[in-house]
């Protein structure tokens, strides 16, 4: 969620300032670009060197930089930031921010910033409870600032009560949850299948296919990036999930995939069946390894359950169902037939006639056909880019 985001971290003088080091570390680890503005009082609690080393950027406190002879431009900081977090923010700084005072670089930057502002107060319980602090908090909330409330616990004074700054991990979770709630697929659950299925012949052999799972994994990542809660059911694949919030369920055969999909489909707002499910499986699975006693060997195959068709027959209003079609001839006609037969909202067609499309490759060229037969043909793109196109179509249909 934080990858590539510019985060300005303000640090005020409080015993909780030591927690800022961990917060910087977590933000950087999450992929954010972090710059720290600290008040001069904060330097009594934590050194600029610590925060500079962890943030991999200079730390700023004063309007004027003695070393370079330049001024530290608070307007530029305000424009640079995607988010301003002040953690810890003291009662003193809250008072300044609530009243538009700007006698230091941090307070001036706050006034210049156009981005969302998060404030994590830290102070003794009586200071926190004081009507003037509470008035300042209410006023800052009215201005649109987001308060990360202090926690209850033992305070530096030895008293027990509300006033401890939220832990860095809690601040990070809070921030990520906020960012997520603004995404287009926030609150939606998605079910994605990926990869091949392996249909066992005997304990050591199977019937499989060349699907790598790359397309399905890319779709799962993109849905998750757009805010959906994603369950990824995948057949045997070497691919790895990046986003930790994706719940991955590994399966082997088509019947295992069907059973897993059945468990989660009802709760799913968006289902994308990108798995290359085997159409046939051996009628009998030999209990022991088949010996090569004969010159010829026949294996009887029976149809597997068509998972997508089953889902299409039980789909409820409001549920989006998306299928894939891999074709070699009469591509669009075949895809349209599957779209209707399986009761899909749209189908993603790959043609093996197109170079760089289909299994194993890192690229794909797709045509999306929706249930109104609106057809969009896309250029050859990387699979993550194709996943973006598919997600945009999903977002468009959900908002229609
Ligand atoms: N699919 C499925 N269960 C199966 C076979 C396929 O859910 N047993 C799904 C795939 O995940 C894909 C879609 O159905 O989303 C299209 O599969 P495909 O094999 O191309 O279509 P079929 O209807 O099986 O037709 P054919 O193989 O004859 O082209």
């Amino acid at each position: 969620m934080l990858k590539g985001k510019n985060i300005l971290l303000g640090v005020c003088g409080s015993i909780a300032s030591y927690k800022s080091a961990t917060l910087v570390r977590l933000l950087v680890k999450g992929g954010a670009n972090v710059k720290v503005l600290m008040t001069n009082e904060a330097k009594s609690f934590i050194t600029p060197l610590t925060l500079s080393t962890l943030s991999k950027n200079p730390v700023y406190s004063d309007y004027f930089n003695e070393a370079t002879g330049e001024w530290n431009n608070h307007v530029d900081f305000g424009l640079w930031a995607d988010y301003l977090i002040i953690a810890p923010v003291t009662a003193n700084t809250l008072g300044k921010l609530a009243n538009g005072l700007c006698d230091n670089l941090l307070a001036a930057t706050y006034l210049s910033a156009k981005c969302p502002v998060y404030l994590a107060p830290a102070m003794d319980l009586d200071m926190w409870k004081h009507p003037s602090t509470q008035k300042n908090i209410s006023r800052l909330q009215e201005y649109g600032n987001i308060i990360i409330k202090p926690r209850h616990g033992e305070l530096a004074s030895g008293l027990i009560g509300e006033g401890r700054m939220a832990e860095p991990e809690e601040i990070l979770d809070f921030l990520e949850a906020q960012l997520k709630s603004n995404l287009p697929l926030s609150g939606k659950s998605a079910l994605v299948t990926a990869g091949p299925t392996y249909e066992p012949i005997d304990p050591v052999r199977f019937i499989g296919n060349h699907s790598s799972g790359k397309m399905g994994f890319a779709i799962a990542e993109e849905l998750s990036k757009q805010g959906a809660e994603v369950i990824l059911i995948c057949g045997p694949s070497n691919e790895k999930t990046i986003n930790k919030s994706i719940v991955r369920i590994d399966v082997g055969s088509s019947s295992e995939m069907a059973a897993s999909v059945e468990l989660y489909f009802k709760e799913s707002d968006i289902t994308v069946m990108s798995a290359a499910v085997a159409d046939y499986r051996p009628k009998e699975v030999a209990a022991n390894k088949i010996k090569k006693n004969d010159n010829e060997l026949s294996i009887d195959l029976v149809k597997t359950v068509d998972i997508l068709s089953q889902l299409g027959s039980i789909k409820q209003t409001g549920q989006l169902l998306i299928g894939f079609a891999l074709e070699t001839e009469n591509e669009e006609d075949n895809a349209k037939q599957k779209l209707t037969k399986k009761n899909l909202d749209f189908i993603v067609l790959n043609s093996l006639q197109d170079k760089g499309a289909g299994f194993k490759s890192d690229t794909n060229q797709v045509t999306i056909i929706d249930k109104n037969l609106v057809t969009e043909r896309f250029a050859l793109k990387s699979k993550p880019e194709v996943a973006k196109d598919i997600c945009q179509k999903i977002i468009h249909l959900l908002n229609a």
Side-chain angles (χ1 to χ4, degrees):
M1 302 274 351
L2 296 171
K3 207 164 179 197
K5 298 275 186 274
N6 292 341
I7 296 185
L8 212 48
L9 178 67
V11 181
C12 301
S14 153
I15 183 61
S17 310
Y18 81 90
K19 293 183 184 174
S20 311
T22 309
L23 184 55
V24 172
R25 181 79 195 96
L26 292 174
L27 292 169
V28 169
K29 221 172 143 193
N33 308 310
V34 181
K35 287 186 184 173
V36 177
L37 300 182
M38 70 196 299
T39 63
N40 282 311
E41 291 71 24
K43 290 180 190 167
S44 308
F45 295 91
I46 184 162
T47 71
L49 181 61
T50 305
L51 297 175
S52 165
T53 308
L54 291 172
S55 66
K56 304 185 175 92
N57 271 313
V59 168
Y60 307 88
S61 295
D62 300 307
Y63 284 112
F64 185 64
N65 185 335
E66 300 273 354
T68 63
E70 290 169 359
W71 69 300
N72 293 323
N73 188 338
H74 54 92
V75 179
D76 282 351
F77 283 128
L79 290 174
W80 176 82
D82 293 315
Y83 303 97
L84 169 61
I85 309 169
I86 310 185
V89 61
T90 54
N92 183 39
T93 297
L94 283 175
K96 288 182 192 178
L97 305 185
N99 292 287
L101 303 181
C102 48
D103 63 349
N104 64 33
L105 183 65
L106 175 57
T109 303
Y110 163 79
L111 282 184
S112 300
K114 294 190 176 72
C115 61
V117 178
Y118 295 84
L119 302 169
M123 65 198 74
D124 202 62
L125 79 151
D126 293 319
M127 295 169 79
W128 174 246
K129 273 199 231 148
H130 197 283
S132 66
T133 305
Q134 289 306 313
K135 229 178 190 169
N136 288 334
I137 289 283
S138 301
R139 190 184 274 190
L140 287 164
Q141 282 176 317
E142 271 169 36
Y143 295 158
N145 300 287
I146 300 144
I147 307 293
I148 305 173
K149 281 186 77 179
R151 307 297 189 242
H152 187 279
E154 192 178 345
L155 303 164
S157 61
L159 296 174
I160 292 177
E162 215 176 356
R164 284 168 65 95
M165 186 179 91
E167 294 302 323
E169 291 77 7
E170 291 174 315
I171 294 176
L172 195 81
D173 287 350
F174 185 94
L175 198 66
E176 288 191 326
Q178 283 264 326
L179 301 191
K180 210 166 183 183
S181 68
N182 294 329
L183 292 172
L185 295 180
S186 163
K188 299 285 179 201
S189 51
L191 180 61
V192 179
T193 63
T197 60
Y198 285 180
E199 308 303 322
I201 297 169
D202 68 14
V204 293
R205 302 177 180 98
F206 59 83
I207 297 174
N209 61 63
H210 289 301
S211 169
S212 62
K214 284 179 180 168
M215 194 63 248
F217 274 66
I219 293 168
E221 294 293 342
E222 185 59 27
L223 286 167
S224 179
K225 250 190 212 164
Q226 298 298 331
E229 300 293 333
V230 179
I231 295 176
L232 171 65
I233 298 174
C234 57
S237 165
N238 292 326
E239 293 300 302
K240 301 214 167 3
T241 50
I242 301 165
N243 196 317
K244 288 197 195 82
S245 69
I246 298 172
V247 177
R248 172 179 175 160
I249 298 166
D250 290 288
V251 295
S253 64
S254 58
S255 56
E256 284 171 21
M257 185 170 278
S260 267
V261 167
E262 199 191 332
L263 276 182
Y264 299 102
F265 178 68
K266 258 194 198 150
E267 307 304 323
S268 169
D269 301 304
I270 304 154
T271 301
V272 186
M273 281 290 301
S274 62
V277 187
D279 288 328
Y280 291 91
R281 64 173 172 81
K283 191 172 181 185
E284 310 282 348
V285 180
N288 295 307
K289 188 181 169 202
I290 299 170
K291 291 293 190 187
K292 53 174 185 301
N293 295 332
D294 303 315
N295 283 339
E296 287 185 11
L297 172 72
S298 297
I299 299 170
D300 285 338
L301 301 177
V302 289
K303 261 195 177 158
T304 56
V305 174
D306 190 322
I307 307 169
L308 188 57
S309 288
Q310 276 198 341
L311 302 181
S313 67
I314 56 167
K315 184 179 82 170
Q316 300 289 313
T317 317
Q319 280 188 303
L320 279 189
L321 184 60
I322 295 119
F324 270 69
L326 178 62
E327 305 291 340
T328 53
E329 54 180 351
N330 299 327
E331 292 92 338
E332 290 197 12
D333 283 346
N334 286 340
K336 281 176 190 167
Q337 275 178 31
K338 285 179 191 172
L339 172 80
T340 316
K341 203 172 100 196
K342 301 193 184 193
N343 189 24
L344 308 180
D345 293 279
F346 69 84
I347 193 157
V348 182
L349 162 67
N350 314 276
S351 168
L352 279 191
Q353 306 281 8
D354 294 323
K355 262 201 158 163
F359 287 170
K360 280 193 170 165
S361 124
D362 287 328
T363 54
N364 206 356
Q365 181 163 13
V366 302
T367 299
I368 292 181
I369 309 171
D370 72 19
K371 64 179 175 193
N372 300 318
L373 303 185
V374 174
T375 304
E376 285 174 84
R377 295 176 191 91
F378 293 87
L380 182 71
K381 296 181 181 187
S382 70
K383 285 184 173 170
E385 290 296 320
V386 173
K388 276 187 194 163
D389 292 333
I390 293 169
C391 278
Q392 284 313 309
K393 181 75 181 176
I394 290 170
I395 292 166
H396 174 76
L397 290 181
L398 286 172
N399 293 333

